[in-house]
Amino acid sequence: MVTVFAESKDFLEQCPVPVYIVSNIDRDDIRSALEYHGLKPAGVFTSEDARSYKPREEIFQLALQSTGLSGSEAVHIGDSLSSDVKGAGAAGIHAIWLNRSGREVPEGVVAIENLLQAYGTDYFK
């Protein structure tokens, strides 16, 4: 089963903008986990859908095209510097690193320790 952190449901319910999940997990697995945990994002885009894994741009471009957003209108929050932050950045999407373990934050990277802290970043103002 996919791990869901305590603040995930609060983040989805409180977020002032639609939240889409972009994941390297297969569609059936992510759907089962969302249903099990009672989470209801606006949509889900998987590597299975894009036939490409993060950090490649295809999965991010699929999400942008499907939602009608440009990269400058989107923010990607993820826990991998290489797959999430660099991948989203390469697709022109603002990125926030979900650094739950308190690792050193590289220069130029926006980092948070839990999802609710995203609201304090410039991207949510």
Side-chain angles (χ1 to χ4, degrees), residues 9 17 44 49 58 69 78 86 118 122:
K9 189 167 188 170
V17 296
V44 175
D49 300 328
E58 290 91 341
L69 296 171
K86 290 179 183 176
D122 289 341

Side-chain angles (χ1 to χ4, degrees), residues 2 21-27 29-30 44-56 58-60 76 79-80 82-84:
V2 174
I21 293 177
V22 177
S23 178
N24 279 343
I25 299 171
D26 288 342
R27 178 164 278 286
D29 293 338
I30 194 79
V44 175
F45 304 98
T46 69
S47 55
E48 183 178 3
D49 300 328
R51 297 181 184 194
S52 176
Y53 288 90
K54 296 184 285 182
R56 293 182 49 104
E58 290 91 341
I59 191 168
F60 297 103
H76 181 78
D79 62 1
S80 169
S82 60
S83 294
D84 293 306

Side-chain angles (χ1 to χ4, degrees), residues 11 75-79 84 94-98 112 115 118 124:
F11 179 79
V75 177
H76 181 78
I77 302 171
D79 62 1
D84 293 306
H94 302 290
I96 298 173
W97 180 32
L98 184 56
I112 57 177
L115 288 170
F124 282 83

Side-chain angles (χ1 to χ4, degrees), residues 4 12 20 25 32 45-46 53 61 65 75 84 92 94 104 108 113 116-117 124:
V4 175
L12 283 169
Y20 296 88
I25 299 171
S32 294
F45 304 98
T46 69
Y53 288 90
Q61 293 301 330
Q65 291 168 0
V75 177
D84 293 306
H94 302 290
E104 184 176 340
E113 293 177 2
L116 297 175
Q117 290 177 342
F124 282 83

